[in-house]
Amino acid sequence: MMPTALVLAGSRPGAPDPVADSEGVSHKALLTLAGEPMLGRVVAALREARIERIAVSTNDPQVAQLAQALDCDVLPAGTGPSASVATGFERLGAPLLVTTSDHGLLQGRWVADFVGDTPQEADVAILLARRDAVERAMPGSRRTWLRFADGQWSGCNLFLLATPRAGAAIDTWKIVEADRKRPWRIAARLGLGMLASYTLGRLTLAEAIAGLGRRIGVRASLVAARDGLAAVDVDKVQDLADARAIISARDAR
């Protein structure tokens, strides 16, 4: 059975979004890719993966209106992604797949593969892509890489809260959000042994994720993306141009 899905479409209060501003819309979920709102493409990919119930977390009235037109539930966005996930998990329960409204290249098979590749015993799973896979799919991509002994990784904005125990991981999510560009701080939270292992280049990201899970009492797993494009979202104006070019080339083929 496929999980319920939560699409994060919040925005930080008072923080302008240069991508939305560049297109004259109130939220980047409303940007069009190949004539379709980006949120619509995300929802279509989730439906393609046979996810029946989808909720959108937002405080933007236009995004909420679009979500309702797409037959999605609408939940209020929190002050940040982790707060929005906490609300969604409380309302929707487990299993819950979490993604974002700026995942404009999302494909149903990525979602289905992620759910299928998640170990059965996992309470929480995170999809990440190896640098070589991302650069094969999108040469010249400039990203922030998590550098560990098992390679360099980039997040894919796909998370699975597989069991009710996963609720314990949401508070830790807030900490990881703050440290996502400083992996040594993530290692430091695991204790001096793990920090030393990271400093010596011996700590893998899979071990770090599993270790964070053990500290909070959940079984957490890294799942490697099969397609490097899964790591490409629309965070910057150039990302929007890249996404449009990729979709145009895909449609031409």
Side-chain angles (χ1 to χ4, degrees), residues 133-181:
V134 177
E135 292 182 339
R136 274 198 310 271
M138 191 174 176
S141 176
R142 300 181 64 182
R143 312 188 62 78
T144 298
W145 304 102
L146 295 170
R147 301 169 187 268
F148 284 84
D150 50 351
Q152 298 180 34
W153 300 83
S154 182
C156 297
N157 287 353
L158 277 168
F159 311 87
L160 181 62
L161 307 179
T163 73
R165 290 159 56 101
I170 295 174
D171 287 339
T172 302
W173 186 326
K174 186 181 296 186
I175 294 170
V176 173
E177 279 176 14
D179 291 343
R180 67 188 183 280
K181 295 186 179 181

Side-chain angles (χ1 to χ4, degrees), residues 208-247:
I209 289 172
L212 275 173
R214 284 193 297 271
R215 287 182 74 89
I216 58 176
V218 302
R219 292 162 295 190
S221 294
L222 179 157
V223 176
R226 301 190 192 186
D227 189 331
L229 278 182
V232 179
D233 56 11
V234 180
D235 259 346
K236 303 182 289 294
V237 173
Q238 184 59 49
D239 295 337
L240 178 60
D242 291 340
R244 285 172 170 162
I246 289 167
I247 292 168

Side-chain angles (χ1 to χ4, degrees), residues 1-4 85 89 92-98 114-126 158-170 173 218-221 223:
M1 183 183 73
M2 293 299 286
T4 298
V85 172
F89 195 66
L92 304 169
L96 182 67
L97 178 93
V98 180
F114 174 42
V115 174
D117 291 345
T118 295
Q120 289 189 347
E121 68 275 11
D123 298 305
V124 179
I126 306 170
L158 277 168
F159 311 87
L160 181 62
L161 307 179
T163 73
R165 290 159 56 101
I170 295 174
W173 186 326
V218 302
R219 292 162 295 190
S221 294
V223 176

